[in-house]
Amino acid sequence: MSTLLSNLALGFSVAFTLHNLGLCFMGCLVGTLIGVLPGIGPIATITMLLPVTFGLPPVGALIMLAGIYYGAQYGGSTTAILVNIPGEVTSVVTTIDGHQMAKQGRAGAALGISALGSFFAGCVSTLIIAGLAVPLTRLALLFGPSEYAALMTAGLAFAVVLARGSILKSIAMVLLGLLLSTVGQDLETGAERMTFGLPSLSDGIDFAVLAMGLFGFAEVMRNLTVDQARDVVHGKIGKLLPSGAELRQSAGAVVRGTLLGAILGILPGNGAVLGPFASYALEKKIARDPRRFGRGAIEGVAGPESANNAGAQTSFIPLLTLGIPPNAVMALMVGAMTIHGIVPGPLVMTRNASLFWGVIASMWIGNLMLLVINLPLIGAWVRLLKVPYRLMYPAIVIVCCVGIYSVNNLPQDVALTAVVALFGYAGTRLGFESAPLLLGFVLGRLLEENLRRALAISRGDLAIFIHRPVSAWLLFTGLVVLVVAVLPSIRSRREQVFVEE
Amino acid sequence: MRPSLFVLAVILALPLQGRAAYPERPITLIVPFAAGGPTDVVARIVGEHMSRTLGQQVVVENVAGAGGTTGSTRAAQATPDGYTLIMGHMGTHGAAPAVYPDLKYDPAKSFQPIGMAAGTPILVVAKKSFPAKDLKEFVAYVKKNSEKLNEAHAGVGSVSYTTCAFFNSLIGAKPTRVVYRGTGPALNDLVSGQVDYMCDQIVNLVPQIQAGTIKAYGVALPQRSPALPDVPTTKEGGLPEFQVSAWNAIFAPKGVPPEVVKKLSDALTKALADENTRKRLLDLGADLSDKAAQTPEGLAKLVDSEVVRWKKVLASASKDATPPK
Amino acid sequence: MGRVRVQAPQDLVAGASLLAVSLFALWAAAPLDAGRMSAPGPGLLPRVLAVLLGGVGVWLVVVSLVRPGESLGHWSLRGPVLIALSVVAFAVTIRTPGLAVAGPAAMLVAGAASPETRWRELAVFSVAVTAVCVGLFRWLLHLPIPILVIPGWVVL
């Protein structure tokens, strides 16, 4: 315990210099900004700003870059709630109930609980990193391909829970998402799968293309075709922060979401994306009145937002303790550290103790700064909603276009998004929802790669998923979730309520 | 009358000014892999110094995909005005024709070589619990039990894929080749013991070897690498034929004017002679010894020989390999 | 013999669309090697998914004939098509002549999708928003987005 305290003291002494505080602030500010802007994510930004950090000492550079990453999680929920466009992969779930809350005039409460929940998650996760980094890494090493495949399969069960309307159509969307994720060059054999010879599809469909198409442009299309009298998100602004009652309601969700996100974030291979989905599914299942979900239940925002921030923080663990990046952003951090002369690996914790603990301490400071940045901004965002829609939607169109273009600098991506948007519009008119599709898409690659990897290692023995305890347990959990989710709808078939978009 | 004559004169003068001094604006250096990887790091380190010599920013642009061939195709099709370059490597400009049958560029004909930046030596590494003391025992064990072993690589066309194809065919091993999306996940499973061995660039492996999470059996260099002085060379370990280096080099699209080539080549040489740059590259474990390939002509020769070599190696490797599922 | 009545037109079209997608996917994945269940090839998962999707589609079609559901509702063409066109306009103009033209172009085409658009207001607004985008994306975030590109003359 005393070593922990002395390490934290070391960390704070490093992080509390004016220089590093300034860099932390800048990172958080930029992070929030790109989180808000749809399409642009931490990867593109960190890559672009990497040269800017060359003149900085390594600790400062890392503090700033880290700030950009977890800052983006805070910002991503803003557009998700206000205009139903997920700023980041992890904000997809927030759109479901967050935007409904905004339509009911409770945008302030949604944004507020999002910031507060994320702050709580950030603090707890920082403590987890400080105290439990090494044992947790050992836990993560237990996860092999079969465990991952089982985890992703269990994750698919969440899709059924995500459904607001017809479960059958939700399953169809998950299947379609999985199918879309297979487009691209096959990793194992190099064969082109359903790319029709288009080089821009060779690496698969970009998440931003789907998200912008289905949520951004399609949403604009939907809003334009509705009777113009019904204006989106107009009317009372409502309170700027969640009420006491709402805070009490969300408290449990925040804690549960934090734990879920923190655990999933440690798993290398981008387990963190599952966090918000798992949290939403959990909250919906244990809620006393699950029908509130999909209609503006605050737990549906509080839980996932805490989960995604917790996941963002704990995903630093494999990087800092093992030197192995769990996702693409962390891989960038590896490059950043390497360029600054620090090669990440298991010895960084001891050899560069001041760097290690300085970054951890700055995460806590960063979360505090983000709270301070985001809470006052709520008033500004909410006022932005008063802009007449006839002006807002062309602005949304242009910002989304630039966002997609910035991912790969390919006009083809932008054009593809238009096609996706048309299909998305048609889809919603037919009663299909987009969130399950994105879930399927995100999980698809992870599921298939790990499935084939596990079977390669086991030489085709399908029983491996049951022989290995962790994997068996995960599959069982997924099955339970699926059964529990489908059961009520079979029983109350006649009473099934179709929620209109 | 006079204002329009003036405008005409300005317009006519503009293209003349274009020829004046290269470079006049920032230069894009395409890195055909995701940011953070070894090629990217080398590109940024070298590019930073070249920016100083050239007087214009060398901006790294990551265009990842298809084992590096997406970025290479983009570079090959770029305007040959010296403002688009590419940091290619042994995969994109050596092994690619052998790996990708309908490659949209020719490493020798579509590009103008500028010079090699740095080579990253290859190591043979295995999981911590692998039952072999040194390279000899390792080779013997792998030969005997290869069908039961799992070898990790980072995707068709990656350095770990081609170099281990070479290694396997040299010793006659037929392991199951398990594919990962990048070195990170592959290394992760090696550390946790899910897979048995791997061949990869030194840059990614140094910290793990130093911490003891994986075992290194040999480095494919004529003499030991200063970054890992305890790891014997493949020659010492009894497998001298396994000599590979994942070289990284700068290319421009074919047709770039000779003055531009000379300027770029000089800037590169200066960068590689700079004390600070050298130190940063050597600390990573990079190998800067091949001076011949640091010139445009030397690099051209290297590319030609590598294309031939990898065609041969991968052809023989695919003959004995387990057919892809 | 009674006529089969479509009770839920929305479900019918939905199911039929899924079936169409499924058949398209099966066609697109045809050249891929499926392998076996215990040794999946690149074609296995796409085919399995396409079949499952088609199955759901068929089920929906059947259900639509049996259970009452929603009607197709009102489908507007003007809005969606114009929005899609505005995005395409952006895609076509972004590389040359660059954001300075692509921005207003996209916004103005998008404006045509709503009957409420006030043109002069939108024109000014689009220039302003484009300027903000330039400052934000290019200047602040250092993203390599072409601002104004006239070949042989200006490259910004």
Side-chain angles (χ1 to χ4, degrees), chain A residues 1-345:
Chain A
M1 186 62 193
S2 59
T3 33
L4 177 63
L5 284 177
S6 64
N7 283 326
L8 281 175
L10 170 67
F12 276 106
S13 70
V14 171
F16 247 100
T17 65
L18 205 60
H19 191 71
N20 287 339
L21 281 175
L23 288 169
C24 188
F25 186 74
M26 265 215 307
C28 290
L29 204 58
V30 173
T32 310
L33 181 65
I34 54 159
V36 170
L37 291 172
I40 299 185
I43 298 181
T45 317
I46 295 178
T47 312
M48 285 305 134
L49 294 180
L50 211 51
V52 172
T53 66
F54 281 160
L56 301 168
V59 187
L62 272 186
I63 287 179
M64 184 172 110
L65 296 174
I68 296 179
Y69 178 51
Y70 53 81
Q73 306 303 320
Y74 274 79
S77 47
T78 309
T79 34
I81 292 170
L82 294 180
V83 282
N84 205 24
I85 302 178
E88 298 298 316
V89 182
T90 44
S91 324
V92 171
V93 185
T94 315
T95 60
I96 303 178
D97 277 84
H99 191 56
Q100 291 299 318
M101 283 180 73
K103 282 199 193 166
Q104 294 161 10
R106 294 157 64 207
L111 291 168
I113 197 65
S114 183
L116 290 168
S118 296
F119 177 67
F120 178 83
C123 292
V124 171
S125 310
T126 311
L127 278 174
I128 292 180
I129 300 179
L132 293 174
V134 177
L136 283 176
T137 316
R138 260 179 250 142
L139 186 74
L141 285 177
L142 286 178
F143 258 71
S146 32
E147 282 74 26
Y148 272 110
L151 180 66
M152 297 304 150
T153 315
L156 287 179
F158 298 147
V160 180
V161 184
L162 274 186
R164 265 183 285 191
S166 158
I167 288 193
L168 198 57
K169 290 184 181 171
S170 182
I171 293 179
M173 285 295 101
V174 172
L175 288 171
L176 185 58
L178 286 169
L179 191 60
L180 287 174
S181 79
T182 61
V183 172
Q185 200 181 40
D186 180 46
L187 196 59
E188 192 176 326
T189 58
E192 294 279 328
R193 296 204 285 190
M194 304 189 283
T195 58
F196 303 108
L198 293 169
S200 61
L201 285 181
S202 184
D203 259 326
I205 301 176
D206 221 279
F207 174 81
V209 167
L210 275 185
M212 288 309 115
L214 296 175
F215 278 86
F217 298 133
E219 174 78 5
V220 169
M221 292 176 183
R222 279 192 290 275
N223 285 326
L224 283 175
T225 58
V226 162
D227 206 348
Q228 295 292 323
R230 182 189 121 188
D231 239 324
V232 180
V233 204
H234 240 53
K236 24 187 224 353
I237 299 294
K239 281 194 291 255
L240 285 182
L241 284 177
S243 67
E246 286 174 324
L247 280 173
R248 258 171 286 138
Q249 235 183 338
S250 335
V254 168
V255 173
R256 286 184 290 267
T258 304
L259 285 171
L260 268 177
I263 295 175
L264 288 169
I266 301 167
L267 304 175
N270 217 6
V273 298
L274 210 47
F277 293 103
S279 167
Y280 189 87
L282 180 65
E283 293 311 313
K284 189 167 176 183
K285 272 305 122 190
I286 67 176
R288 242 168 290 154
D289 183 14
R291 269 190 245 177
R292 283 184 301 120
F293 281 75
R295 272 166 250 231
I298 198 166
E299 300 93 314
V301 177
E305 278 301 309
S306 311
N308 78 22
N309 204 42
Q313 310 270 194
T314 54
S315 61
F316 276 88
I317 291 184
L319 173 71
L320 293 173
T321 57
L322 267 186
I324 299 179
N327 59 40
V329 181
M330 293 301 134
L332 269 179
M333 299 287 183
V334 169
M337 287 171 80
T338 314
I339 293 177
H340 280 96
I342 299 175
V343 190

